[in-house]
Structure formats: structure tokens, C-alpha cells
Amino acid sequence: MKELVRERILEAVTSVYGDDAAAVAERATVEKPKKSEFGDFATNVAFLLAKVVRQNPRVVAQELAAKLSGVEEFEKVEVAGGGFINFFLSQKAYENLLVQVVETDFYVSDVGGGEKVLLEYVSANPTGPLHVGHGRGAVVGDVLYRIMRLTGYVPEREFYINDAGRQIRLLGLSIYLRAKQLKGENVELPEDAYRGDYIVELAKKLLEEVRPDLLDLPEEEAVEVAAQFGKEELLKGIEADLKKLRVEFDNWFSEKSLHDSGKIEEVLKLLEEKGLLYEKDGALWLKTTLFGDDKDRVVKRSTGEYTYFAADIAYHYDKLKRGYDRAVDVWGADHHGYIPRVEAALKALGAPEGWLEVVLIQMVKLFKGGKEVKMSKRKGDFVPLRWLMEQVGVDPVRFFFLLKRHDTPLDFDLDLAVSTSSDNPVYYVQYAHARLCSVLDKAKERGFLPSKENLDLLSSDEERKLITGCYQLKYELQQAAQKREPHRLTYYLIELASTLHRFYNKHKVINEDNPQLTRARLYLVEAVRKTVATGLAILNVSAPRRM
């Protein structure tokens, strides 16, 4: 509705004062007044135009109000105070909105302007199963992608596989030493070894099914074999868990490919040509302090190994060269301090200001019976995402991960997630959809179908709030896309379900004595059902017809 009011204002300004004034009017605010007696919307456009047209703001407001009073969507247009214009929407405005909701893809927009965006999320090291923190990042990234597709962006999804470097060798060593233990050898795992039952299972499978001769190999070769096997097996598990969570990717990008293709050397040579590298203590450093970092960073150790940072520079430079207008990375909150150095490296390489955006995901704590759920050290000291999905189901996992802003810690109540009460937000929204389907089915049995013939009968406050509530989905998706805040969609659906229940408790939908009103209200019911179903589909959460 705000868009419609703004559009009508600009039309009136153009008609009365011309195109130059309309350009100034673009900056005007259109807001909902705090008190209903001041109308549905108010604007300050007259104050902005007063200087341009050299008239008193109240005079400007009166001229525009006179022009706008004949517009179909406005029941009344009033001037208030020194020059504010208040708008009272007409019944016809609500009817037009309702028809749009039912009969068009009203929620689709073009605010993204065709911007090509690479969304990178999850990117978990293939050194262990996905945990609940990875799951939250996966859902945030996945839903953001879905929202951006509907709002005029051209997004792609990418998983960065950290399959090179020290952590992969350590994975191989951990499996190798567990294999020795399985064969009865008394060996100790180093302090930083990967632990957990999954390492034992990998060692057992490697020995029994792939390389029974593993321990006959020279240690370095055996560790390499174990590392490659472990990485591939864990990556299969990660893909399976993501598939179960309903998360997919367009690209899987290997860190190892950066080493093998020489892309790290290529980007460091480019930085060297710019005079941004220097040697110190046998290592190679990048002058990131020239671009806003708090200290310079090592890109090549004195041992000759490239740092993880060097690979990250090459990876982001590769993204830049692939022609994306913007890169959005979804990282764990513990990577907060890493952002300035990556931004500095990108500036050094000539990336546009703000080309990289980082969405930080805060930690998730699980609670059951009021107590925090924790895994034992023996199991690896993390809660596997797979376990959570098995405990409560995929729908609650996806919905609950978006119940708070991504940069806010999340307390996940396992008992609430499986409850069938209105306190459970996903159940509350899904039940709203099922309730609407039930009303439509019962009406059909009695010979009533939705109709737009008598929408003027839908004039109560509750009905109008439902209509504008449905249409607001378009605005919420735009805001979620532009601000990278997919949690706005769960908030919106909970509020819409609440508005529906208030309407349902006050108004009878199927009324044998008033068939015209019944059919009009069924049209409204279909609008709300479609909107809830659309919202749940964007979340990739099921919309059951019966519960």
C-alpha cells in the first residue's frame, strides 16, 4: 500500500508542479501514523517541495490534497499541521489489493535490479560431520537465496570445500592412529587430533573395506591415504545432511584446486607487482594495514607453505574475476576478526568498495527439559545437525533457525519444537494454513466457492488488516533481501497467523443466510491461505492441508 500511495503522490506532484518537483518528491517519506485518526498513511512531501516551488508548505499540501482527493484508492485526503498530508484508504483500494493477492504473483519484485550475487555459505571443513551451527548458517543462506530470486537479484549458491592444508593432514593422522588402536597398538592421539566416534568409524571402514594393508604402508603414505578417504567420506556425509535439510548448491568449489591450478601464486604475483608484499623473518607478508587492517598478514610461512589467508585471497579474487556484482559470505561469528583482512586484500586487488558482504551467524544452544543439551568429549563435543533433524524433524529445524536475527545467539527448545500447541511457532503457522484449507473444503461441501463479486462487503477492521497483512509479504521480502535478513519472513508469518486467528474468532466465514458475504470471505480466506503457503514455500517448510 505504501508503494501505491507514493506512486499516486508522485503522479499528483508531476501534474501540479512538473518533473523537476517530482524528482525532489522522491525523497519524501510515506509512513503509517501512530494514531488511526490521522489516516492510513501520511507524507511530508509538501515540506520538501515548499522551497522548490517557493510556497508555504501548507499551501503546497492543500494543492496536492485537492488533486489527490479524486483518486479511486483514497476515501479522504486531509491536510494536517503545517503541511502534512494524511490519506484514508477507500474500500476500493482494499478490494484491488485483495484481487492482486489472489490472482497474481504479487510478492515478486525487481528491487535487486538484476544484480548478480554469489552467496557462499556453510563451507564446513570436511573434517567432521555438520553441527547445529553449520545448520543455522545453511538455512540462513538458503532462504536468503530463495528471497533474492523473488526480488530481482540473480543469486548463485556456492560451498567452499576447505580440502587443503594442515587440517586435512591432521584428519588423516587422526584416522591412521585410530586404525593402529583398532589393531591393538598402544598409541596416543596428539592434543589437537580430531576426536569423536566418527573418527573411529572411519578408521574401521578404511581398514575393513578399502585398505586392509593400511598399516603396512610407510606412515606418510598411510596418513595421506587416510586423509583422502576421510575427506571424501565426510564430504558425502555433509552433502547427505544438507540434502536432508533441503539445502542445495549450484557450485562446490575446492580449496585444493586453488593450489593445484596455481591461482594462489597468480594472485600473489599480482600483489607483488603492486609493491604490496615484503619478506620478514623468512615469511612473506601482505601490507594489509594500507587498506584498513590493524596489522600486516602472512601469506607464505617461512616453511614455504601458503597460509589459509593466501588461499582465501585467491578464492575471493576468483569470485571477482567470475563477474559477480557482489559476494555475500555467511560465516560463523567467531570469524568476525577475519573480515577486515579479507576486505583489505580485496581493496588491494581493486575490488569495488562494499563488494564483499559478510553475514555473521551466532551460536545455537539446544535445550531439553530446561537444560542445555551437550555432547560428551568422546562423541566430539558438538551436537550433530543430523541428530537434531532426527529429534524434531526438518520443518521445525528450518523454521526455528530463523526465529531470531542471524547475529543473535539462538536458544533452540527441543520440547517446544515438537509440541502441538500455539506456543510452537512453526505449528502455529502451519495450523493456520491447515485451518484455512479446512474452511475452504467445508464451504465447497456446502456449495460455496470463493468469489470476488461482493468484496465491498469486506469492510471490517479485521478484514482490512488481513488484506494489507497479505500484501505486506511483498515489502517484507524486499526488506529481507536488501538487508540480508531472512528471519523477517518467520516474524511476518507468525504475525499474519495471529491476525488470521483474531479475524476467525470474531467473524463467521460460512453463513448460509448471507451467501454473498460467505463467498467474499472465502475469497479472503483463499488470499490468506495462498500467502501463508507462499511464505512457507520460500522457507522450504511444508504447508499441510490437515493437522
Side-chain angles (χ1 to χ4, degrees):
M1 285 305 293
K2 187 185 287 189
E3 291 174 9
L4 176 68
V5 174
R6 182 180 292 279
E7 189 178 315
R8 296 293 178 262
I9 291 169
L10 292 175
E11 288 171 359
V13 171
T14 303
S15 175
V16 177
Y17 298 112
D19 291 337
D20 290 344
V24 174
E26 289 272 9
R27 302 199 304 270
T29 60
V30 178
E31 301 294 341
K32 203 166 183 64
K34 292 180 180 178
K35 295 182 179 180
S36 59
E37 57 261 37
F38 295 131
D40 297 293
F41 292 98
T43 183
N44 66 345
V45 67
F47 293 97
L48 297 184
L49 292 176
K51 291 181 180 178
V52 178
V53 301
R54 297 181 180 180
Q55 289 185 25
N56 182 285
R58 188 171 177 86
V59 172
V60 174
Q62 287 170 338
E63 287 183 346
L64 290 176
K67 186 72 177 177
L68 289 160
S69 292
V71 173
E72 179 186 59
E73 290 91 355
F74 302 140
E75 183 178 290
K76 186 168 56 172
V77 181
E78 291 182 344
V79 176
F84 289 100
I85 306 174
N86 296 337
F87 299 88
F88 296 78
L89 298 178
S90 68
Q91 177 63 25
K92 193 64 180 176
Y94 288 99
E95 293 171 31
N96 291 343
L97 273 189
L98 182 55
V99 171
Q100 283 188 59
V101 170
V102 175
E103 301 188 9
T104 71
D105 291 334
F106 69 98
Y107 48 87
V108 176
S109 67
D110 192 32
V111 294
E115 187 175 64
K116 190 178 178 184
V117 180
L118 183 63
L119 281 166
E120 183 224 320
Y121 48 99
V122 187
S123 298
N125 293 345
T127 54
L130 294 180
H131 56 62
V132 293
H134 294 134
R136 190 181 188 191
V139 172
V140 167
D142 180 62
V143 175
L144 182 56
Y145 165 80
R146 292 167 170 274
I147 291 171
M148 289 180 115
R149 283 188 65 190
L150 294 170
T151 50
Y153 294 86
V154 184
E156 285 185 35
R157 303 162 290 184
E158 187 154 287
F159 187 115
Y160 181 54
I161 309 168
N162 301 118
D163 57 351
R166 182 178 175 277
Q167 79 271 12
I168 297 299
R169 188 191 182 282
L170 188 56
L171 171 67
L173 180 62
S174 304
I175 295 170
Y176 172 69
L177 293 177
R178 286 297 193 191
K180 283 195 160 196
Q181 290 177 349
L182 287 170
K183 289 295 186 180
E185 291 190 39
N186 186 20
V187 293
E188 288 290 322
L189 267 68
E191 182 92 11
D192 55 354
Y194 292 105
R195 300 173 188 274
D197 292 348
Y198 72 94
I199 295 292
V200 179
E201 291 302 315
L202 286 170
K204 188 177 180 182
K205 185 174 183 179
L206 179 57
L207 284 173
E208 292 179 356
E209 301 179 20
V210 183
R211 293 301 299 261
D213 63 337
L214 180 73
L215 301 184
D216 297 330
L217 301 173
E219 181 169 320
E220 275 307 306
E221 185 181 346
V223 168
E224 176 61 30
V225 168
Q228 188 64 25
F229 172 78
K231 179 187 75 175
E232 290 174 0
E233 287 294 304
L234 288 166
L235 201 53
K236 286 179 193 172
I238 287 170
E239 289 188 55
D241 287 350
L242 289 171
K243 186 175 181 180
K244 185 177 178 66
L245 189 60
R246 306 169 192 155
V247 173
E248 298 178 350
F249 290 91
D250 301 303
N251 314 313
W252 293 75
F253 193 105
S254 163
E255 178 190 351
K256 190 171 183 294
S257 72
L258 295 170
H259 292 263
D260 295 344
S261 64
K263 287 185 177 179
I264 297 178
E265 289 93 336
E266 177 190 325
V267 76
L268 292 185
K269 184 179 179 182
L270 184 59
L271 290 167
E272 184 179 26
E273 289 170 357
K274 290 173 174 279
L276 298 173
L277 298 182
Y278 65 93
E279 287 190 20
K280 177 185 170 185
D281 301 328
L284 193 62
W285 298 69
L286 174 61
K287 298 176 183 178
T288 50
T289 49
L290 295 178
F291 304 94
D293 198 6
D294 60 344
K295 61 181 180 180
D296 292 343
R297 305 289 175 174
V298 175
V299 290
K300 192 174 185 179
R301 298 186 181 95
S302 56
T303 59
E305 292 178 302
Y306 292 118
T307 60
Y308 181 80
F309 179 48
D312 234 5
I313 297 171
Y315 175 46
H316 283 86
Y317 185 58
D318 183 83
K319 290 183 184 182
L320 190 62
K321 288 202 301 179
R322 280 187 267 162
Y324 295 102
D325 300 312
R326 189 176 305 278
V328 178
D329 291 0
V330 179
W331 295 351
D334 56 335
H335 286 75
H336 181 270
Y338 196 71
I339 298 172
R341 73 185 74 171
V342 177
E343 289 179 333
L346 283 166
K347 285 178 187 174
L349 290 164
E353 186 73 31
W355 179 82
L356 172 67
E357 292 180 23
V358 179
V359 174
L360 292 175
I361 305 294
Q362 273 288 359
M363 63 186 296
V364 179
K365 289 184 179 179
L366 304 183
F367 290 85
K368 187 173 180 60
K371 295 182 179 178
E372 187 177 351
V373 176
K374 289 188 176 181
M375 289 295 184
S376 66
K377 284 284 185 185
R378 188 177 67 84
K379 289 189 177 292
D381 201 27
F382 64 88
V383 181
L385 174 62
R386 189 179 312 163
W387 178 87
L388 178 61
M389 291 189 287
E390 289 167 353
Q391 292 296 305
V392 302
V394 176
D395 281 351
V397 168
R398 288 186 65 96
F399 202 97
F400 272 55
F401 276 157
L402 291 172
L403 281 177
K404 284 192 175 181
R405 278 182 57 94
H406 50 78
D407 54 1
T408 304
L410 175 67
D411 291 345
F412 192 119
D413 189 329
L414 296 172
D415 298 319
L416 181 62
V418 297
S419 73
T420 54
S421 75
S422 59
D423 292 331
N424 178 356
V426 65
Y427 180 85
Y428 185 66
V429 174
Q430 288 178 320
Y431 179 72
H433 183 266
R435 187 179 211 178
L436 293 164
C437 290
S438 175
V439 170
L440 290 166
D441 290 344
K442 287 177 182 176
K444 189 175 182 180
E445 289 171 9
R446 298 186 194 181
F448 291 108
L449 293 174
S451 171
K452 60 181 178 181
E453 292 303 312
N454 299 103
L455 298 184
D456 57 305
L457 299 175
L458 305 177
S459 58
S460 72
D461 186 51
E462 292 78 20
E463 288 162 334
R464 286 186 165 191
K465 283 182 178 176
L466 264 184
I467 293 168
T468 54
C470 288
Y471 197 78
Q472 190 180 343
L473 175 60
K474 182 176 184 177
Y475 172 77
E476 292 298 337
L477 292 178
Q478 290 174 346
Q479 290 294 297
Q482 291 175 315
K483 296 181 178 180
R484 323 302 189 214
E485 294 179 345
H487 72 280
R488 295 179 71 105
L489 185 52
T490 57
Y491 284 28
Y492 164 78
L493 287 172
I494 293 167
E495 180 56 34
L496 182 61
S498 177
T499 304
L500 167 70
H501 294 315
R502 286 195 295 271
F503 158 79
Y504 197 79
N505 291 334
K506 189 169 180 179
H507 299 280
K508 188 176 182 181
V509 175
I510 304 173
N511 186 342
E512 304 278 357
D513 298 328
N514 194 338
Q516 290 87 359
L517 178 60
T518 296
R519 294 188 183 98
R521 281 186 173 162
L522 287 173
Y523 196 80
L524 174 59
V525 164
E526 172 56 23
V528 185
R529 186 211 62 77
K530 175 188 173 182
T531 305
V532 174
T534 299
L536 288 172
I538 297 167
L539 293 174
N540 211 353
V541 170
S542 64
R545 291 189 61 86
R546 290 180 178 81
M547 290 180 72

